């Protein structure tokens, strides 16, 4: 899961925020417990989480031995349940080729050359280059232009590029997208990928994201600086080069709010006024005087990881060539800066629990008397924490025909830390999956609650977004917050603040195994209803994501 405040979305690709000391002391050493009264399904989920989130798996970072062990385990669980391999060449695995980039301590620069003076920002303290998998030592010097938040949204009559030309220049911009946009569009236009695409289309040669004062207050620069060595990854194409790695932007960099004045105060502008204009939605583009020199130094190595893919065949001779895809990410962020002496970021909730719930849903469906009409695919994906890379690879290169993917049911970091009676369905409003999810929740006896933070647009924050971008309608169920005898929301908020993406997301968490078993039951039921429906799911007419990415659905083949 990559849950972050909306305006700092753009930083997610470069840095897992994992160095804030939690306010609670480190948990006591883990005591193994055994609940003889637990139901069989809850016990299976607990067993999977206890294995996957153990210290021996070392945080399951993509490209490490810990991750490879986790993927081996999931493959053998599929085998034990009787699911057929559906990866490459008759195996359970799909290789995901990637490039790993790690910043180097020397050879980085962000120099402002203006009015005959030179001001070099300090590496780490004031700026960090983005992870560059295209060139180990890259540099560019060019005139610069400030382009607001770098958003061009003609359908909303919004153009941050009005009156300036960025061709051959370095674009300097703020993160995020205007608050006046609806949540879906705000998320889409906030993403670094959308912005980089727009800059490349306009001929920019570099990009600098300047942190605002509001961002600094929410997410201090120091956290990024502390994690400057965290590796970044991109998918690797057949030519050995990075996919979606924007080589046209020779260098991109992030600059701290404290250095904004040095960069932006020119021609009557000041950083503090621009921060205010950002809050007021009144930013205007302007050319910056002089030139900027940018350089980055990155150690680049090819690395392979793997998705784990298994299939349950559908029974309907017409519909079984179509697939409902269940997904959950198996990777986490690995080993990092120690917090209270603990450097292993176990990822018990994020996302050992999501994987365990998916495995239990698979187990249920594998043992139902009647097979489903459509086929079911289960994909444990890698490198979600590096930017949804495993899911993106699968959605672009599925091991079954792409047009056969009818829907995605994703599971990511269900925050089941106190007993609840509900779940939060994410993405229901976009497609015809809505009535099916409603029916399943009714049958299982779980209420559906509203998304408590719609402005976070978690619909674009996990693996389902890779499927959405491939035109496949998707849904995922977040843990609920209607507490049974306690304030579940307060417990979740404390988790997000103190343990999410921290060593504290480990087996000492009070995970509610019976609620996890209920979630598996619900996901299995949703998958079954989709698989048995006469029509494959459709995007709702006029839906933003449907119009942006959807294709007219091909009908199931006639007999
Ligand atoms: Zn995560």
């Amino acid at each position: 899961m990559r849950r972050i405040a909306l305006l700092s979305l753009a930083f997610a690709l470069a840095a897992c925020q994992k160095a804030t000391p939690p306010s609670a002391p480190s948990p006591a050493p883990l005591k193994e417990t055994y609940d003889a009264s637990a139901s069989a399904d809850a016990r299976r989920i607990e067993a999977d989480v206890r294995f996957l989130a153990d210290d021996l798996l070392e945080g399951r970072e993509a490209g490490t031995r810990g991750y490879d062990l986790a993927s081996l385990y999931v493959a053998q669980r599929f085998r034990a349940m009787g699911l057929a391999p559906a990866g490459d060449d008759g195996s359970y695995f799909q290789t995901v080729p990637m490039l790993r980039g790690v910043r180097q301590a020397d050879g980085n620069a962000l120099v402002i050359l203006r009015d005959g003076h030179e001001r070099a920002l300090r590496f780490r303290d004031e700026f960090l280059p983005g992870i560059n998998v295209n060139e180990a030592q890259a540099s560019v010097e060019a005139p610069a232009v400030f382009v607001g938040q770098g958003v061009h949204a003609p359908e909303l009559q919004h153009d941050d590029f009005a009156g300036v030309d960025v061709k051959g220049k370095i674009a300097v911009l703020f993160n995020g997208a205007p608050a006046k946009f609806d949540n879906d569009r705000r998320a889409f236009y906030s993403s670094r990928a959308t912005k980089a695409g727009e800059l490349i289309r306009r001929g920019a040669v570099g990009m600098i994201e300047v942190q605002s004062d509001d961002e600094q207050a929410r997410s201090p620069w120091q956290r990024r600086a502390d994690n400057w060595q965290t590796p970044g990854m991109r998918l690797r194409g057949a030519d050995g080069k990075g996919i979606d790695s924007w080589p046209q932007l020779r260098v991109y960099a992030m600059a701290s709010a404290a250095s904004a004045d040095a960069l932006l105060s020119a021609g009557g502008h000041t950083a503090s006024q621009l921060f205010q204009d950002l809050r007021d939605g009144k930013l205007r583009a302007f050319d910056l005087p002089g030139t900027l020199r940018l350089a980055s130094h990155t150690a680049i190595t090819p690395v392979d990881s793997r998705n784990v893919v298994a299939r349950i065949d559908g029974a309907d001779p017409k519909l079984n060539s179509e697939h409902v895809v269940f997904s959950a990410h198996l990777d986490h962020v690995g080993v990092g800066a120690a917090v209270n002496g603990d450097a292993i970021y176990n990822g018990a909730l994020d996302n050992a629990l999501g994987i365990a719930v998916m495995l239990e849903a698979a187990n249920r469906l594998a043992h139902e008397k009647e097979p489903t009409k459509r086929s079911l695919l289960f994909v444990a994906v890698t490198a979600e924490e590096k930017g949804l890379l495993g899911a993106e690879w699968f959605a672009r290169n599925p091991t079954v025909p792409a047009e056969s993917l009818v829907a995605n049911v994703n599971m990511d970091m269900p925050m089941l830390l106190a007993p609840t009676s509900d779940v939060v369905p994410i993405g229901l409003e976009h497609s015809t999956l809505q009535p099916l999810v409603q029916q399943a929740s009714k049958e299982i006896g779980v209420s559906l609650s509203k998304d408590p933070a719609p402005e976070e647009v978690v619909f674009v924050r996990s693996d389902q977004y890779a499927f959405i971008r491939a035109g496949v309608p998707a849904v995922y169920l977040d843990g609920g917050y209607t507490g049974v005898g306690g304030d579940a929301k307060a417990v979740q908020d404390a988790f997000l603040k103190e343990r999410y993406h921290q060593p504290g997301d480990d087996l000492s968490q009070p995970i509610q195994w019976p609620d996890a078993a209920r979630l598996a039951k619900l996901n299995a039921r949703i998958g079954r209803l989709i698989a048995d429906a006469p029509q494959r799911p459709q995007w709702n007419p006029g839906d933003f994501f449907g119009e942006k990415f959807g294709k007219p659905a091909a009908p199931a083949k006639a007999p």
Side-chain angles (χ1 to χ4, degrees):
M1 168 59 78
R2 309 170 71 237
R3 182 188 289 261
I4 26 186
L6 187 64
L7 292 175
S8 56
L9 172 66
F11 278 98
L13 280 176
C16 291
Q17 299 170 4
K18 60 186 186 188
T20 331
S23 55
S26 71
L30 188 68
K31 262 214 303 260
E32 183 90 14
T33 54
Y34 180 75
D35 178 2
S37 68
S39 62
D41 48 359
R43 200 196 317 278
R44 279 189 291 268
I45 290 171
E46 180 176 355
D48 289 336
V49 173
R50 284 190 181 277
F51 181 83
L52 294 170
D54 193 273
D55 277 357
L56 287 170
L57 279 281
E58 296 177 337
R60 307 185 308 278
E61 185 179 23
T64 68
R65 184 168 184 270
Y67 178 86
D68 291 347
L69 288 169
S71 64
L72 177 63
Y73 175 80
V74 169
Q76 302 319 320
R77 290 277 288 116
F78 283 144
R79 182 189 300 275
M81 288 183 241
L83 271 61
D88 300 332
D89 307 320
S91 79
Y92 285 104
F93 301 110
Q94 178 187 39
T95 300
V96 179
M98 298 187 287
L99 292 170
R100 172 167 49 208
V102 182
R103 293 183 187 96
Q104 302 299 292
D106 60 333
N108 305 288
L110 197 174
V111 184
I112 303 156
L113 302 122
R114 204 172 277 173
D115 306 326
H117 298 288
E118 230 184 79
R119 161 86 156 87
L121 297 192
R122 291 189 308 280
F123 174 66
R124 289 175 62 185
D125 289 347
E126 295 183 308
F127 85 99
L128 281 173
I131 301 284
N132 188 334
V133 299
N134 302 305
E135 275 182 278
Q137 275 175 308
S139 66
V140 64
E141 182 173 338
V145 56
F146 174 73
V147 292
Q149 292 174 294
V151 171
H152 175 62
E155 79 277 22
L156 298 170
Q157 290 86 48
H158 184 93
D159 186 8
D160 280 339
F161 298 92
V164 295
D165 182 7
V166 302
K167 195 169 180 352
K169 297 179 190 167
I170 293 168
V172 183
L173 45 89
F174 289 139
N175 289 310
K180 66 179 182 187
F181 287 14
D182 62 73
N183 288 330
D184 294 339
R185 282 178 180 80
R186 196 171 177 204
F188 175 79
Y189 285 109
S190 292
S191 90
R192 183 182 285 152
T194 303
K195 293 186 186 193
E198 186 65 34
L199 291 179
I200 287 167
R201 199 173 67 74
R202 291 168 184 269
V205 296
M207 168 165 89
I208 301 175
E209 297 166 351
V210 183
Q211 192 191 33
S212 70
D213 52 354
D214 288 343
E215 272 180 286
Q216 164 66 24
R218 278 195 310 271
S219 173
W221 176 263
Q222 195 55 41
R223 277 192 216 171
R224 281 166 206 147
D226 287 345
N227 284 289
W228 68 281
Q229 286 174 302
T230 299
M233 291 187 185
R234 290 286 186 283
L235 292 172
R236 189 177 82 235
D239 57 1
K241 297 196 171 119
I243 295 175
D244 289 342
S245 58
W246 323 311
Q248 299 90 336
L249 302 173
R250 299 289 307 288
V251 180
Y252 79 88
M254 296 161 270
S256 69
S259 64
D261 245 322
L263 270 166
L264 296 172
S265 292
H269 299 276
T270 63
S272 58
Q273 183 59 49
L274 291 169
F275 291 155
Q276 190 55 47
D277 290 348
L278 173 63
R279 280 186 282 275
D280 297 343
K282 285 187 185 157
L283 290 170
R284 293 275 175 282
F286 61 91
D287 280 300
L288 288 159
T291 60
L292 296 177
R293 188 166 72 233
L294 288 174
S296 68
H297 183 192
T298 318
I300 306 165
T301 41
V303 52
D304 286 349
S305 188
R306 53 192 189 178
N307 294 329
V308 192
V309 196
R311 183 170 191 258
I312 299 176
D313 286 337
D316 185 284
K318 269 186 292 179
L319 295 176
N320 71 358
S321 63
E322 298 184 339
H323 297 85
V324 177
V325 190
F326 291 81
S327 60
H329 76 88
L330 180 57
D331 68 305
H332 193 52
V333 300
V335 177
V339 177
N340 295 329
D342 184 1
I344 299 176
Y345 291 62
N346 306 76
L349 261 65
D350 185 13
N351 185 31
L353 185 55
I355 286 283
V357 167
M358 180 175 79
L359 288 173
E360 183 51 27
N363 185 61
R364 288 193 81 83
L365 289 158
H367 290 98
E368 282 183 0
K369 269 193 227 103
E370 286 286 309
T372 52
K373 291 183 175 155
R374 290 185 178 82
S375 297
L376 307 171
L377 216 54
F378 297 85
V379 192
V381 292
T382 186
E384 189 268 357
E385 302 288 2
K386 306 298 184 190
L388 319 183
L389 299 183
E392 186 71 28
W393 185 261
F394 184 85
R396 287 177 188 226
N397 310 285
T399 53
V400 296
E403 66 278 7
S404 80
L405 305 177
V406 305
N408 172 236
V409 180
N410 189 49
M411 278 143 266
D412 193 359
M413 200 171 91
M415 283 193 285
L416 306 174
L417 293 170
T420 51
S421 59
D422 60 336
V423 296
V424 177
I426 302 292
L428 273 198
E429 65 276 27
H430 300 288
S431 72
T432 58
L433 291 171
Q434 181 159 29
L436 303 181
V437 173
Q438 286 167 337
Q439 185 187 333
S441 67
K442 220 174 184 175
E443 288 174 9
I444 306 293
V446 191
S447 58
L448 299 177
S449 293
K450 274 207 172 71
D451 185 349
E455 70 283 359
E456 288 229 0
V457 199
V458 284
F459 199 47
V460 307
R461 296 288 173 72
S462 181
D463 296 304
Q464 72 276 353
Y465 195 47
F467 291 95
I468 294 163
R469 277 192 297 215
V472 179
V475 66
Y476 101 88
L477 300 181
D478 220 339
Y481 49 80
T482 306
V484 179
D487 188 350
K489 183 79 169 58
V491 178
Q492 292 170 356
D493 289 346
F495 169 80
L496 285 175
K497 199 158 165 246
E498 294 161 10
R499 294 180 292 282
Y500 163 66
H501 277 204
Q502 301 273 346
D505 177 8
D506 64 13
L507 291 166
S508 66
Q509 297 301 299
I511 298 172
Q512 303 297 305
W513 308 113
D515 284 8
R518 187 185 60 194
L519 186 59
K521 206 169 161 187
L522 179 59
N523 275 303
R525 189 64 194 151
I526 290 167
R528 161 131 227 156
L529 290 174
I530 301 168
D532 287 347
Q535 296 293 323
R536 61 192 278 167
Q538 308 285 325
W539 293 98
N540 290 336
D543 181 74
F544 174 70
F545 295 110
E547 301 218 318
K548 206 106 206 162
F549 306 115
K551 298 166 284 243
K557 283 178 202 80

